[in-house]
Amino acid sequence: MKPENLREYAMMHSSFLIEKAREGDDAAFSKLVGIWFKRIYNFALKYFGDHDTAMEVTQKTFIAVHRNIHNIKETGKFKSWLYKVAFNQFHEEERRNKRHSFLSVFSTQKETGYVSERGPESEFRNKELSEVLKDFLSMLPEDQRTVVIMKEYEGFKFREIAEALDISENTAKSRLYYGLKGLRKMMTEKNITTETI
Amino acid sequence: MKIPSEEKIISYLYGELSSEEMKEMEAFIAKDPELAREIEDMKLLRTQLGKIEDEEVVEPIFLPHNLKNNGSLSYRLNRLLWNPVVGIAATLLILFVLAVLFKVDADFSGDAVTISFGDQSKNQSESGYITRDEALQLVKNSASQQTDLEERFEQISQSQNAQFTALMNQQNLATEQIIGDFVAQLQKDNMVVIERFLELSQDQQEKYMQSVLTDFTQYLEEQRENDLQEIEDHLVNLHESQQVKNLETEELLAGIINTVNYQYQNE
């Protein structure tokens, strides 16, 4: 079958790469990494709010993908599967971080909340809105944070989120609702309103 | 009135309600200012979230060899060796072994701390201090060891540089190969697209020319029929006018004859 347009060509090319990578073709796998690395990295960056951690978990994700790519049954569901693998890695990293912070005497500011001695207004002045939002995002509970990022930044449909996270569509919507509400609450608490923006 | 569920609010926010549900929701919002404010807040928040842009990142090199060995024994051993605790333990062990081998001895007697290597009786003069010659010899040995160490360090650096250069070359070759493949694929696809376009274009042009020629023939035929009809009409008109003129001439002649006859009779 010949592709009729660029989108169809891209889809066919992607399926072809997944198929080849599944058969053990490392060149095809490298191309897949090239296509998806930036997306997974940005997903991780918004999730953890930290470049080093994001890089580390993204690399771990692709190592896990390489190890398990032969398990994919439908190449059409690669995106959901990839994010599922990524989410599992994030979850694992989060669990490890929590254990370390529990054992550590010096707890970081992030774990204790967005606390500033200089006060919320001066804190906000020194940071771009997007930076503040990134911080707020990384402070949301894990399940809500994942859904907010997948919906707002990764362009997932609710059905796809449900599939990737093994939850129902209604649960995904509910988590998104409470995630957005949580963000609003944090903004209100830090006095970031329409006027201040 | 029942308050809409959070799932419904989210579906409304993301435009996933049917038109009927949408109307129902809008009715709720119109009657409930708190719900209206909540939805407005969420819309505003979504706009603000949209301001976080993606960061650019350069993906690291994934060498297939490394990927394949992640679960292997050598990989685990390698990770174990690079563990900081294991590293510290190994360093202490090495120091201990070196201390045993070189017979390191620390003496804290008196006001001084003396650290000595080897058999203390051999290294020290009878008076307890080393002689000038022994000190010079020690300095010389130390310099020689330092030179050896520097040479070894230089050799290791060169070897590492060579390995690094080889790896970089390998990576460059792989990248060039990938780009080459991609460009070749693009060119091939473009050629196919252009060929298809030209084929389609030629077919369409032929069809157009045929239709134009057919239209032109029909036009000529119609024009010819119109001309013939016009000529025929003219001929009919000419014939009719000829007949009228003949009649008029005959009437005129009859009039002249009558006039001549009348004059002749009067004479």
Side-chain angles (χ1 to χ4, degrees):
Chain A
M1 197 179 89
K2 272 188 168 292
E4 291 295 325
N5 53 41
L6 200 58
R7 190 175 171 276
E8 240 176 66
Y9 173 75
M11 291 287 284
M12 278 180 73
H13 185 60
S14 180
S15 298
F16 171 76
L17 287 179
I18 296 160
E19 201 62 51
K20 296 293 278 179
R22 199 163 61 170
E23 288 164 9
D25 185 336
D26 287 320
F29 180 77
S30 292
K31 285 181 188 172
L32 275 181
V33 174
I35 292 169
W36 287 101
F37 194 88
K38 189 182 162 188
R39 282 259 51 81
I40 298 298
Y41 166 77
N42 274 286
F43 181 24
L45 188 64
K46 289 182 186 91
Y47 191 94
F48 291 104
D50 171 62
H51 165 77
D52 292 339
T53 317
M55 270 309 257
E56 195 184 331
V57 287
T58 308
Q59 289 182 42
K60 281 180 183 171
T61 299
F62 282 101
I63 288 167
V65 166
H66 186 269
R67 205 177 297 153
N68 297 302
I69 198 162
H70 59 272
N71 291 332
I72 296 183
K73 291 190 175 60
E74 293 172 57
T75 52
K77 289 187 175 174
F78 177 75
K79 187 182 169 190
S80 296
W81 180 79
L82 173 65
Y83 276 79
K84 190 182 216 167
V85 174
F87 174 68
N88 286 340
Q89 293 296 326
F90 294 1
H91 183 65
E92 186 64 26
E93 186 66 24
E94 187 91 342
R95 201 173 57 82
R96 200 176 296 125
N97 284 347
K98 271 182 189 162
R99 198 175 59 203
H100 283 176
S101 66
F102 177 74
L103 291 171
S104 172
V105 178
F106 306 101
S107 61
T108 60
Q109 193 184 63
K110 194 173 164 181
E111 272 98 27
T112 53
Y114 195 81
V115 179
S116 167
E117 287 176 2
R118 292 177 294 163
E121 282 185 14
S122 68
E123 189 76 33
F124 178 66
R125 271 200 298 275
N126 293 334
K127 277 194 170 190
E128 291 290 330
L129 174 66
S130 62
E131 291 299 313
V132 179
L133 279 171
K134 267 187 210 170
D135 285 350
F136 288 167
L137 257 180
S138 62
M139 275 186 263
L140 278 180
E142 197 183 351
D143 52 354
Q144 294 171 16
R145 194 189 330 158
T146 313
V147 179
V148 171
I149 299 170
M150 285 174 103
K151 187 68 190 167
E152 284 296 330
Y153 299 103
E154 303 305 315
F156 270 73
K157 296 185 175 84
F158 285 113
R159 180 181 48 77
E160 290 173 322
I161 296 174
E163 204 172 271
L165 303 180
D166 282 332
I167 52 175
S168 70
E169 280 188 44
N170 273 346
T171 308
K173 285 178 186 174
S174 174
R175 285 182 186 178
L176 181 61
Y177 173 82
Y178 287 108
L180 292 177
K181 240 185 151 179
L183 287 172
R184 278 303 306 163
K185 195 178 168 204
M186 283 185 225
M187 290 177 81
T188 313
E189 278 171 2
K190 300 299 165 196
N191 202 20
I192 303 169
T193 59
T194 321
E195 289 74 35
T196 54
I197 293 161
Chain B
M1 191 181 284
K2 197 183 164 190
I3 300 165
S5 63
E6 55 253 30
E7 291 89 1
K8 205 144 207 174
I9 292 172
I10 286 294
S11 297
Y12 172 76
L13 203 61
Y14 287 83
E16 293 191 4
L17 289 179
S18 64
S19 55
E20 200 176 312
E21 286 173 319
M22 190 72 90
K23 278 179 194 166
E24 199 181 327
M25 190 69 187
E26 275 161 3
F28 272 123
I29 294 167
K31 286 175 188 170
D32 187 345
E34 203 174 323
L35 179 65
R37 204 180 60 240
E38 187 182 2
I39 286 172
E40 272 314 304
D41 280 353
M42 282 186 170
K43 280 182 184 169
L44 179 67
L45 175 66
R46 286 195 65 205
T47 315
Q48 288 158 352
L49 284 173
K51 286 176 183 162
I52 304 179
E53 290 176 357
D54 277 352
E55 301 280 334
E56 288 301 326
V57 64
V58 178
E59 72 254 28
I61 302 159
F62 280 85
L63 294 175
H65 175 74
N66 293 344
L67 289 168
K68 275 177 188 161
N69 287 338
N70 280 331
S72 69
L73 186 64
S74 62
Y75 173 76
R76 285 177 196 167
L77 192 64
N78 197 27
R79 283 198 63 176
L80 184 70
L81 286 174
W82 285 106
N83 185 306
V85 178
V86 177
I88 292 165
T91 310
L92 288 173
L93 184 66
I94 289 166
L95 286 174
F96 178 73
V97 170
L98 286 174
V100 171
L101 282 175
F102 289 102
K103 295 178 182 174
V104 177
D105 186 27
D107 185 12
F108 297 95
S109 60
D111 294 334
V113 177
T114 314
I115 297 172
S116 61
F117 294 90
D119 195 353
Q120 203 172 357
S121 60
K122 282 181 190 171
N123 287 336
Q124 284 186 341
S125 61
E126 285 176 6
S127 61
Y129 297 100
I130 58 169
T131 61
R132 187 172 175 277
D133 289 342
E134 282 171 338
L136 284 172
Q137 187 59 38
L138 275 173
V139 170
K140 200 175 167 187
N141 287 345
S142 163
S144 153
Q145 280 175 353
Q146 190 180 351
T147 315
D148 284 351
L149 279 172
E150 279 173 358
E151 278 172 7
R152 283 184 63 191
F153 178 73
E154 186 63 30
Q155 280 172 358
I156 290 166
S157 296
Q158 280 175 0
S159 150
Q160 280 179 344
N161 281 340
Q163 281 178 358
F164 180 71
T165 314
L167 270 174
M168 284 305 288
N169 286 340
Q170 199 181 342
Q171 177 59 24
N172 285 343
L173 279 174
T175 312
E176 278 172 17
Q177 178 69 31
I178 289 165
I179 292 168
D181 288 352
F182 181 67
V183 170
Q185 183 64 39
L186 266 181
Q187 283 176 342
K188 202 175 156 189
D189 292 342
N190 283 346
M191 203 180 283
V192 171
V193 170
I194 290 167
E195 274 174 10
R196 291 200 62 197
F197 173 75
L198 285 175
E199 276 172 19
L200 281 170
S201 164
Q202 206 172 342
D203 286 351
Q204 281 181 348
Q205 278 180 2
E206 276 174 13
K207 280 178 189 168
Y208 177 70
M209 282 306 290
Q210 276 176 358
S211 72
V212 167
L213 284 173
T214 314
D215 289 351
F216 186 64
T217 316
Q218 277 178 355
Y219 169 75
L220 283 178
E221 191 67 33
E222 281 173 11
Q223 191 66 31
R224 192 171 147 271
E225 279 176 11
N226 287 342
D227 289 349
L228 283 173
Q229 186 66 44
E230 203 172 338
I231 291 165
E232 199 181 328
D233 290 347
H234 279 298
L235 283 173
V236 169
N237 286 340
L238 197 67
H239 182 67
E240 282 173 356
S241 74
Q242 188 64 38
Q243 278 181 338
V244 170
K245 276 181 183 170
N246 285 344
L247 281 171
E248 282 174 357
T249 312
E250 278 173 12
E251 278 175 11
L252 195 66
L253 279 171
I256 292 166
I257 291 164
N258 284 336
T259 312
V260 170
N261 284 338
Y262 178 73
Q263 284 177 352
Y264 181 72
Q265 282 171 4
N266 286 340
E267 281 175 4

